[in-house]
Amino acid sequence: MSSDATPDPYNNPVAFGQRVQIYRNRRGMTREQLAGLLGHHSSWVKKIETGTMRMPRLPEILRLAEVLRVRRLNDLVGDVSAEPHTDLFLGPGHDRLAAVRAALTTYPAPGIREAPTQTYMRAALDAAWAARHEAPNHRETLGTLLPGLIRDAQLSVRQADTGADRRSALILQAETFALAQFFVAYQPDPSLLWRVAERGMAAAQESEDLHAIGVASWLSAQAHRDSGPGHYDEADDVVTQALRLLEPGLEDAPLDVQAITGALRVEAGLTAAKRRQTGSAWGWWDRADRISRQLPPSYFHRVTSFSRAVMGAHSVTVAVELRAGGESVRQANQAEADAIPSRPRRARHRIEQARAYYLDGQQETALATLEQAHAAAPETVRYNGYARSIVLEETTSRMPDRRQRASQLAVDIGLLAA
């Protein structure tokens, strides 16, 4: 995948030697101290950590885990698919991914049970969005709720009695798929992400609801752009088609339609920034900002997070994607994270600030900002490829303090379990 694609948190697994080094740094040990406890010379530890020596045999690995106080063996050895006993180790991915995948790939028979009322579905989705924005570990929250919501949404569409009821059910189903996409994004199953995005778009288009179509287009554009430069044209096409549909009636449109229009303009700007098109990127940001200023100060779009408060966060991302180090830091310093009501979106903003500082050579500040992101929403950091890349890079820093902090953060975000 191109280097301009959003980093896949699973694309660069941590080597065994680097895991040893991370845990050693976390314990505050020198190579000499670790070697002494193991009955080896420090050169043995160096060869292990630099990868010039093959992974030792199981008794030695168990002794390493004991000395380094590693609680789970697979945290130390990582992906050992090329080694024996692979059934003892789990691959990466959220614990609830299998249940969500099963719900998305299983189609209940129409008569299995009566579908819940649309009033119930609306209330259930409202509660799910609220829980998602309030939860520090939003994937755990969504993973618990989604299997039931997905099956209920399917039944609601199948059992709709009239055309109007079916359109309403399709709107709810499209929103359920939007919620699901936040869970499956950055999980180790790209085909599932595309399945969710496509089914969400199909449901939205069949409903003929402008807001639903806008949301599905926003999610589809993100999926295309995150796949790298070869998909930027598709991202632009999706956004262009949606804006052609939404913009003619924008002046009299409901708030949610105005907001999704603004969010789509942001997406166009982010894709332009990925292409290093400075004028176009900031032009789209300005057009989106004009919409945000027309919204009530407290308004917050629950799918896209579009609001007055989030425009500062978008400005940081635009500057970072343009590789403008000084400008990205200026934007990062003036963008207020605490004004964003969603915990995962607030954490994502902190990650973007960390990217800005790292781009500008401020590694200490970047690490401190990632620690703030982790405090706000640990799962957001754990499944973000940019955050993981910075942490992994800093575990090999020549500065002992940075190396120690990065090693601790690597453990905190579960980097070693991947």
Side-chain angles (χ1 to χ4, degrees):
M1 183 179 291
S2 165
S3 60
D4 284 333
T6 298
D8 185 336
Y10 308 111
N11 259 0
N12 298 299
V14 187
F16 170 73
Q18 193 166 11
R19 290 168 184 267
V20 172
Q21 182 179 14
I22 288 172
Y23 274 116
R24 177 176 62 76
N25 287 331
R26 185 192 178 202
R27 298 290 303 149
M29 290 182 179
T30 65
R31 283 175 175 164
E32 289 76 11
Q33 289 170 331
L34 176 58
L37 291 170
L38 295 170
H40 287 288
H41 192 272
S42 61
S43 62
W44 183 89
V45 176
K46 182 178 180 179
K47 289 177 181 179
I48 289 292
E49 293 183 347
T50 58
T52 57
M53 179 186 292
R54 293 189 62 181
M55 186 186 298
R57 298 178 66 84
L58 183 59
E60 199 79 70
I61 292 174
L62 293 173
R63 178 62 179 149
L64 266 168
E66 179 184 6
V67 170
L68 294 172
R69 299 186 185 178
V70 180
R71 288 178 293 181
R72 297 188 308 167
L73 189 59
N74 60 307
D75 285 351
L76 184 60
V77 298
D79 181 4
V80 292
S81 57
E83 302 291 332
H85 312 297
T86 57
D87 57 322
L88 298 178
F89 301 93
L90 296 176
H94 197 279
D95 289 344
R96 298 192 183 276
L97 178 60
V100 174
R101 183 192 292 114
L104 288 166
T105 55
T106 302
Y107 299 87
I112 189 171
R113 60 180 171 83
E114 186 175 353
T117 66
Q118 292 186 12
T119 301
Y120 172 87
M121 281 293 301
R122 177 72 273 158
L125 281 170
D126 289 345
W129 284 114
R132 187 250 168 189
H133 288 301
E134 294 168 2
N137 291 310
H138 71 277
R139 278 189 172 82
E140 177 65 24
T141 298
L142 292 183
T144 302
L145 299 173
L146 277 170
L149 286 171
I150 292 166
R151 295 182 181 108
D152 285 347
Q154 289 175 339
L155 289 174
S156 183
V157 171
R158 288 191 175 198
Q159 296 179 18
D161 293 326
T162 67
D165 284 344
R166 179 175 173 80
R167 283 191 293 275
S168 296
L170 286 165
I171 292 171
L172 294 170
Q173 186 179 49
E175 188 173 332
T176 303
F177 286 133
L179 196 65
Q181 190 161 333
F182 280 98
F183 178 88
V184 301
Y186 308 120
Q187 293 295 297
D189 192 344
S191 65
L192 189 64
L193 172 66
W194 285 109
R195 184 179 306 169
V196 171
E198 290 167 359
R199 290 177 66 184
M201 180 67 80
Q205 289 181 336
E206 190 175 350
S207 77
E208 299 181 342
D209 180 80
L210 292 180
H211 178 253
I213 293 172
V215 169
S217 300
W218 180 80
L219 290 165
S220 178
Q222 288 196 336
H224 282 295
R225 189 179 63 249
D226 285 350
S227 297
H231 296 266
Y232 290 173
D233 287 345
E234 288 92 336
D236 283 335
D237 288 345
V238 170
V239 170
T240 298
Q241 292 175 27
L243 289 176
R244 284 175 181 168
L245 181 66
L246 297 173
E247 287 183 333
L250 187 60
E251 187 174 341
D252 300 318
L255 288 179
D256 282 354
V257 174
Q258 293 181 43
I260 193 58
T261 304
L264 285 162
R265 289 178 177 179
V266 169
E267 289 306 304
L270 294 178
T271 305
K274 284 277 194 179
R275 297 180 189 270
R276 313 292 194 268
Q277 298 171 343
T278 302
S280 180
W282 287 117
W284 279 112
W285 185 93
D286 285 337
R287 293 178 64 191
D289 191 48
R290 286 199 290 271
I291 291 181
S292 76
R293 295 181 183 280
Q294 296 171 0
L295 298 172
S298 61
Y299 178 86
F300 185 81
H301 190 264
R302 63 183 172 187
V303 181
T304 66
S305 298
F306 189 81
S307 59
R308 292 189 186 183
V310 87
M311 288 307 298
H314 287 312
S315 69
V316 178
T317 305
V318 169
V320 169
E321 295 296 356
L322 288 170
R323 301 295 191 269
E327 177 63 18
S328 64
V329 168
R330 188 181 74 81
Q331 295 291 347
N333 287 339
Q334 68 183 20
E336 180 54 60
D338 292 339
I340 300 173
S342 168
R343 290 185 69 148
R345 186 60 184 87
R346 194 159 62 244
R348 173 63 190 272
H349 174 42
R350 291 294 191 197
I351 293 169
E352 295 299 289
Q353 288 179 309
R355 291 179 68 198
Y357 295 128
Y358 207 74
L359 180 65
D360 198 52
Q362 300 184 36
Q363 288 89 347
E364 287 276 4
T365 307
L367 275 178
T369 307
L370 286 179
E371 288 167 347
Q372 291 177 319
H374 182 263
E379 279 190 348
T380 300
V381 182
R382 180 176 185 179
Y383 293 101
N384 185 282
Y386 294 117
R388 292 165 68 97
S389 295
I390 292 173
V391 171
L392 187 57
E393 183 71 21
E394 285 303 294
T395 60
T396 60
S397 170
R398 293 182 178 181
M399 306 297 292
D401 180 63
R402 278 178 19 211
R403 200 165 59 239
Q404 181 83 11
R405 291 172 65 188
S407 296
Q408 181 60 57
L409 195 52
V411 174
D412 290 343
I413 68 175
L415 184 60
L416 299 188

